[in-house]
Structure formats: C-alpha cells, structure tokens
Amino acid sequence: MQRSRGRRTAPAMAAVLVMAALAVGCRPVTVTGAPDGKLTRYAPTTPAPPPLGRHGPPAPRHSAPSYPASAPARAPHRAPRAAAPLLAPGSHGARVRELQARLAQLGLFGRTPTGSYAVVTASAVRGFQRRQGLPRTGAVQPAAWLALRSQTRRPTRAELYPPTARPVGALDPRCMRGRVICISKRSDTLAWVVDGRVVSAMDVRFGSQYTPTREGTFALTFKSRHHVSTLFHTAMPYAMFFSGGQAVHYSADFAARGYRGASHGCVNVRDRRKVAALFKATRKGTKVVITH
C-alpha cells in the first residue's frame, strides 16, 4: 500500500510535540495523537531560560557591604554625689542641741548642750563616726544621724537644758537678800538669785591671768542687747556692764571652745537662751557679787 505523503505517523507527531513543549517552558502541555489514543500530559523537566532582552541579561546587583551596628555611645560615668551633711561646724539651733545631748548619752560629749556646733562638738562626732566605721569628717551625714538616733533615746528637757554643767556651790551671804547675780570663780557658775532662791544657773568663764575679772560687789551700770566691743571689735550680745568695760554677756567663742579659751575680763556665758532671760529679768542697779 502506498503511504500518503501529507500525513505523518503518530510517533513522529509525538516527537514534534515534545520538542515544542520544551521550547514553551514550565507549563504542562497536552499531547494528542499518542499511540494509545489517550490524552497524555508531559511536564518539562528543565525550565526554559528567560528571554533575552535587547541589551542582554541584566547585570547582577551588588548590595552595599553590611557592617555591624555600632553600640550606642555611653554617657560618661559620674561618681555619685555625696549627700550634704545635716549638721556641720557653724550650725546652730535645736537640732545641734539634740545632737549634743544624744552624744552625751554615749559618753562622747562632756559639756552642757549649747546649740552651737564647733570644735568640741565636731570632735565628739568624729568619735562616734570612728565607732561606727564611718568616715571621720566631723560633720553629721544622714547615715551617722540615723545610727545615732537608733542607739540613743530622745533627750529630756533636763538633758537639753540642764540648769548648769557644774554644781552651784554654797551661796555667798551677800547673795541671800534681794535680786542678785551671784558669780563664783570656784565653781565657774552664775546663779540668778531672788531672795535666797536660785532661779536659774549657767556656766561661765572669766578673764585670763593677764586680764583678770574683778572680784567684789558691784551694780549694773548699763545694758546693751547688741553690743560690740570698741576695743576688740567682737560681738557681746546681752551685755550687762558692772565694772568699767567688764560685763556679763553671751560668748559664741565660749559656746564653741569651752574652757580652752578665756575672756578679756568679762564674764562669758555660753547658753544664749539663759543669758537672754537674765538680760530681760535684770535692770540698771541690779546687784552683782563675784567671789573667788
């Protein structure tokens, strides 16, 4: 039998269709005319390459090199600022008096509380700080104040305002009548006596051996609340003059340094509150007795 030239055999058609599928890409292709007469789907095993553009394949993109992120800048280290002291040399007032009374309870302050913070108080504070293992600054930091309060009780009024740190001795007979400022060099005390009864007493100090305080019976000649010495240009609050330039008055130096100093002849009082009350109670002509 003679084959028709216009028809191709089934195997040849199948081969042509497989080649066409390879040229199309990754889409499944349906092939007809298979030898078994069934529809068969062929999927290409290799994807077709992308079409070439006018200028050839695109150049590979180069990403910028990546560097590790730098750590955030740290703020400069600053040492913690020390807490300001609650009390320090030069302080005055009720809290200083309480400090002194509490230190006295521990045997560290052997004076009468005055409310003035100076050398003696600073030395007592350093002693307490040494006991506690704290820096010995002589100033009261919050930690030292809390430790002191935990180891002591609240001072009584008698501890805060004792009548005197030194016992008043027997009164001179000249002090037994009327209103008298009775001063004893033996006991270093001043007693305000009314009709033989001691109303108040306070510590005093006197002039040195080169400027001694006069002894005898005197009368107040004048009073000056805010007096300033014209010779030494120092403050003499609550001055009550009894013999020339000698007077009974408050002394901040006596309050600060105690008996390590001396006056230029005056009778120094270190308790400001008590000498202020005495100043108010006396008048010109009030009797003053000073004994050895």
Side-chain angles (χ1 to χ4, degrees), residues 168-169 171-182 190-201 278:
V168 177
L171 296 177
D172 187 271
R174 292 171 289 178
C175 301
M176 302 306 293
R177 297 181 60 182
R179 299 161 67 88
V180 185
I181 298 175
C182 195
L190 179 156
W192 171 233
V193 184
V194 177
D195 295 330
R197 181 177 65 89
V198 177
V199 176
S200 66
L278 179 65

Side-chain angles (χ1 to χ4, degrees), residues 33 106 142 219 257 276:
L106 300 177
R257 299 174 58 211

Side-chain angles (χ1 to χ4, degrees), residues 24-41:
V24 170
C26 334
R27 292 177 300 174
V29 178
T30 302
V31 180
T32 59
D36 54 5
K38 298 180 181 179
L39 296 178
T40 306
R41 299 175 67 88

